[in-house]
Amino acid sequence: MTAPKIFGIAGWKNSGKTGLAVRLVTEFTRRGYKISTIKHAHHDFDIDKVGADSYRHRQAGAHEVTIVSGTRYAIMHELSGAPEPEFKEILARLAPCDLVLIEGYKREPIPKIEARRLEATNREPLAPSDPHICAIAADHAVTDTALPVFDLDDTGAIADFIADIVGLGQARL
């Protein structure tokens, strides 16, 4: 099996990463591509409800809990003190798709766009110190770079750029 095409969205907290990721998934899906996403969280999270059967399975010590229905399934894997899995391990678990959009993992050596918003928690540019950032999407003027700069809300142009960078080919409409 060939490695999936991947493209990242990096930026500081409140830089617009999630909004851009959601709009890109919508746009690429509209164009007929099968898109998967990986979101990195820097904090503990839970996708399970306290008291649910699957929650009770995890609390009892299950290593992995899979919830399956007629519309979706989810696998929760407890690390139980083990280190966070490497990016490539998570990528390897995904089903085949046309493109994997990565939100977060700003230090991974993958092609990515840097999201910038005036309201971001930190406004220090990432691009000058990351050779894998190949464009910037911002809600304000950016003049101190030779990289392509997109309006953060210009989803179509950003999708075209990403498709060209990763070699997605023609849309399947």
Side-chain angles (χ1 to χ4, degrees):
M1 186 174 121
T2 61
K5 295 178 185 320
I6 58 175
F7 195 89
I9 302 167
W12 299 107
K13 185 176 180 179
N14 296 327
S15 63
K17 297 183 305 293
T18 300
L20 179 57
V22 168
R23 291 189 307 274
L24 286 169
V25 169
T26 300
E27 177 64 16
F28 281 123
T29 301
R30 184 190 66 75
R31 294 180 184 192
Y33 295 109
K34 185 183 285 188
I35 305 299
S36 292
T37 64
I38 297 175
K39 161 83 170 114
H40 188 256
H42 289 286
H43 48 81
D44 192 17
F45 69 92
D46 208 333
I47 61 171
D48 219 355
K49 294 184 184 117
V50 174
D53 292 347
S54 55
Y55 179 88
R56 294 174 61 201
H57 293 192
R58 282 193 309 125
Q59 291 302 107
H63 178 64
E64 283 192 335
V65 176
T66 306
I67 307 169
V68 182
S69 76
T71 55
R72 73 186 52 91
Y73 72 90
I75 300 173
M76 291 174 285
H77 180 97
E78 289 298 310
L79 293 176
S80 304
E84 180 179 313
E86 290 186 22
F87 175 73
K88 64 183 178 188
E89 292 175 63
I90 298 301
L91 199 56
R93 293 189 74 137
L94 295 179
C97 62
D98 296 312
L99 174 66
V100 181
L101 284 174
I102 312 298
E103 181 185 341
Y105 284 101
K106 67 176 156 272
R107 303 291 177 221
E108 280 299 316
I110 61 172
K112 57 187 93 104
I113 191 165
E114 179 181 352
R116 296 183 186 176
R117 285 181 63 223
L118 290 173
E119 294 81 22
T121 305
N122 183 338
R123 295 198 28 215
E124 179 185 340
L126 297 172
S129 61
D130 185 344
H132 302 285
I133 292 176
C134 48
I136 297 167
D139 70 351
H140 57 281
V142 176
T143 57
D144 59 348
T145 183
L147 295 174
V149 177
F150 297 93
D151 182 293
L152 189 57
D153 292 324
D154 194 350
T155 308
I158 295 169
D160 290 344
F161 177 80
I162 292 170
D164 186 50
I165 291 289
V166 302
L168 264 185
Q170 292 300 310
R172 300 183 176 150
L173 293 176

